[in-house]
Amino acid sequence: MSLDRVTKEHRVESVERALSILEAFSDRRRNLALSELADETGLYKSTILRLASSLERYGYLRRDDASRFRLGPSLWRLGSIYRQDFGLGEHIRPVLRRLVTATGETASFYVLEMDERLCLYRENSPNSVRHHLEEGSRLSLDRGAAGHVLRAYGAGSGNAQQLLRPDGGCISVGERNPDIAAVAAPVHDRDGALHGALAVSGLRSRFDAERRTHALELVLEACRELGTVA
Amino acid sequence: MSLDRVTKEHRVESVERALSILEAFSDRRRNLALSELADETGLYKSTILRLASSLERYGYLRRDDASRFRLGPSLWRLGSIYRQDFGLGEHIRPVLRRLVTATGETASFYVLEMDERLCLYRENSPNSVRHHLEEGSRLSLDRGAAGHVLRAYGAGSGNAQQLLRPDGGCISVGERNPDIAAVAAPVHDRDGALHGALAVSGLRSRFDAERRTHALELVLEACRELGTVA
DNA sequence: CAATCCGGTTCTGTCCAGTAGAACGCACAT
DNA sequence: ATGTGCGTTCTACTGGACAGAACCGGATTG
């Protein structure tokens, strides 16, 4: 009987213990002491040291001069391969940059992963000093224009359709962050399947209704352009 | 007795088996069949399926509609945290972009990891159509201006010092790729420790001796600027 | 049409890999 | 001098993980 692979019973407990060590890190917690890892994962320190030794050997973890653990270079290397698999290569940054220039706001590209969105590319606006979000960030799908777009086109969520405009894009104001407004639209690949969502976002005080409408036009046009290379 | 951590005997074989599955992927081989993974890793297919189940569950691997394995989103997310740890945030892309604009060539930032260099940031020149190198790429240290710089300042290699210019930078022509010339210089952090190397590279037919000298001046200036934020 | 091949999946007896958790050493605080 | 907390080492014990055969289904070949 063929179970769904992700939920199937097969598992290797040691591997999942090791991965749970890696999962303890976040952009707010980029280095951790042994005791902190023990607290976070519930693993014994001796267990962590053994697992960490293997992770270090393969470059997934490292230890700094103060014996604190940090994530290792193999993650960046393999993560970059994951991103390359979306096939946007050298095309997306110029497109994002044009959007930044034309709108004065930050431009991003998100993909749908499970029940979240993941930021693959981001070009910050020189104007946005406290709009801090990094490539690699995970965000929810239930707030923000890009979340609605990914939910509507990719996750088959009926209610997200209602949040879309007739042109297929979406505008949100102060949903994920009260001060931020965003516009987004879907990028489809040649087969018509959802590839990701292109978004422009900025402080709502500057990114007003008129500018949002104009930005969405530019985003929709950029999505059509990206759709020809995906 | 305190052994060097990376070479110490402790290891968890199952974890290293799982990681060897991830290591089978590269930018040239972004999706693999079960049999290909078996060939590449030497593991039994049943072993791979068990290990892969855990990797999938944590988002490190996924399977597409054709049952081929691909790297998963967790690698991009954690890899981005690794890159953030270098603290270059929003400062480096504008610096790289200025170098691209001023020189007409591609600009990159590399860090030293073990006995290799790893590309963390890259801004491609619109001119360079076949100068294909991605963020995340690993390169050797023994060829190319950036490799020499990282070896000289970070790996304590005596002979690399000789390849440096009096101003601390380096120029290379056709070392790693016969058609490519590059200039590079070190970025130090506030403590004076090596942070990474900034490089500009392009086709040697266009990136001639005069332009390289000028580019190196700009790179050295940019390195000083980046040194104040690292 | 039957036989063969190949890739992916399932199953289970066996064994040793991996864990739990105590003990230890060291630095720092009281 | 004593107590605390962190990181490291050690080992008896157990169940996690593997090897590898068997199976299934689709594609190919004769």
Side-chain angles (χ1 to χ4, degrees), chain B residues 4-15:
Chain B
D4 177 63
R5 293 188 200 100
V6 180
T7 57
K8 78 178 45 172
E9 282 172 37
H10 286 139
R11 65 171 59 211
V12 179
E13 217 166 312
S14 306
V15 171

Side-chain angles (χ1 to χ4, degrees), chain B residues 40-154:
Chain B
E40 188 69 29
T41 60
L43 298 168
Y44 281 97
K45 292 182 287 184
S46 52
T47 300
I48 292 170
L49 286 172
R50 270 184 299 102
L51 294 165
S53 185
S54 291
L55 289 169
E56 275 180 83
R57 185 170 287 111
Y58 277 69
Y60 290 73
L61 213 56
R62 46 191 181 139
R63 244 171 150 174
D64 63 24
D65 293 333
S67 283
R68 294 181 75 82
F69 291 95
R70 294 172 187 266
L71 294 173
S74 293
L75 293 159
W76 170 246
R77 170 172 56 84
L78 293 174
S80 301
I81 296 171
Y82 163 83
R83 187 171 69 161
Q84 271 173 249
D85 218 14
F86 286 91
L88 296 165
E90 298 169 11
H91 298 94
I92 183 137
R93 281 212 193 274
V95 168
L96 291 176
R97 198 136 342 118
R98 267 205 330 273
L99 288 172
V100 169
T101 301
T103 64
E105 308 299 346
T106 290
S108 310
F109 179 79
Y110 297 92
V111 292
L112 178 67
E113 284 294 351
M114 304 295 285
D115 54 353
E116 294 175 316
R117 55 172 155 134
L118 186 66
C119 181
L120 292 196
Y121 294 92
R122 188 163 176 97
E123 286 288 331
N124 286 310
S125 162
N127 296 322
S128 57
V129 282
R130 281 288 106 225
H131 181 10
H132 206 59
L133 189 64
E134 295 280 343
E135 290 176 355
S137 298
R138 267 189 308 195
L139 297 168
S140 71
L141 289 176
D142 58 358
R143 295 183 199 181
H148 299 322
V149 165
L150 291 172
R151 211 165 71 250
Y153 288 95

Side-chain angles (χ1 to χ4, degrees), chain A:
Chain A
M1 182 248 285
S2 178
L3 297 168
D4 176 63
R5 296 190 198 95
V6 181
T7 58
K8 78 180 43 171
E9 282 173 36
H10 286 138
R11 68 171 60 214
V12 179
E13 216 166 313
S14 304
V15 172
E16 299 200 2
R17 283 193 162 108
L19 300 181
S20 75
I21 291 173
L22 297 178
E23 292 303 308
F25 293 87
S26 68
D27 58 4
R28 300 295 182 84
R29 222 165 23 188
R30 298 206 294 263
N31 64 85
L32 290 153
L34 177 63
S35 301
E36 290 170 330
L37 274 177
D39 289 338
E40 189 69 29
T41 61
L43 298 168
Y44 280 96
K45 292 181 286 181
S46 53
T47 300
I48 292 170
L49 286 173
R50 270 183 301 97
L51 296 165
S53 185
S54 291
L55 290 168
E56 276 180 81
R57 183 170 289 112
Y58 278 68
Y60 289 72
L61 213 57
R62 42 187 186 146
R63 241 170 154 175
D64 65 22
D65 293 333
S67 283
R68 293 181 75 83
F69 290 94
R70 294 173 185 265
L71 293 173
S74 294
L75 293 158
W76 169 246
R77 172 172 55 83
L78 293 173
S80 302
I81 295 171
Y82 163 83
R83 186 173 70 162
Q84 270 173 252
D85 219 13
F86 287 89
L88 296 165
E90 297 169 9
H91 300 94
I92 182 136
R93 280 211 194 274
V95 169
L96 291 177
R97 199 142 336 120
R98 266 205 329 272
L99 289 172
V100 169
T101 302
T103 63
E105 310 298 345
T106 290
S108 310
F109 179 79
Y110 297 90
V111 292
L112 178 69
E113 284 293 350
M114 304 297 284
D115 54 354
E116 294 175 317
R117 56 174 154 134
L118 186 65
C119 181
L120 292 196
Y121 295 93
R122 187 164 177 97
E123 287 286 332
N124 286 310
S125 159
N127 296 324
S128 57
V129 282
R130 281 287 105 226
H131 179 12
H132 206 59
L133 188 65
E134 295 280 344
E135 291 176 355
S137 298
R138 268 189 308 194
L139 297 169
S140 70
L141 290 177
D142 57 358
R143 295 183 199 180
H148 299 323
V149 165
L150 292 171
R151 210 163 76 249
Y153 288 96
S157 173
N159 100 309
Q161 297 284 353
Q162 298 161 16
L163 300 169
L164 301 185
R165 297 159 64 88
D167 54 18
C170 183
I171 298 183
S172 68
V173 183
E175 288 186 9
R176 192 178 62 80
N177 180 324
D179 298 322
I180 299 295
V183 306
V187 177
H188 296 281
D189 58 28
R190 291 200 195 84
D191 302 322
L194 180 72
H195 210 61
L198 207 51
V200 168
S201 52
L203 288 170
R204 62 195 284 183
S205 52
R206 186 179 62 235
F207 200 26
D208 57 26
E210 188 181 338
R211 292 162 73 100
R212 283 176 229 139
T213 303
H214 177 60
L216 184 51
E217 288 169 10
L218 298 174
V219 168
L220 284 159
E221 183 188 329
C223 286
R224 284 188 284 274
E225 179 183 334
L226 282 176
T228 67
V229 300

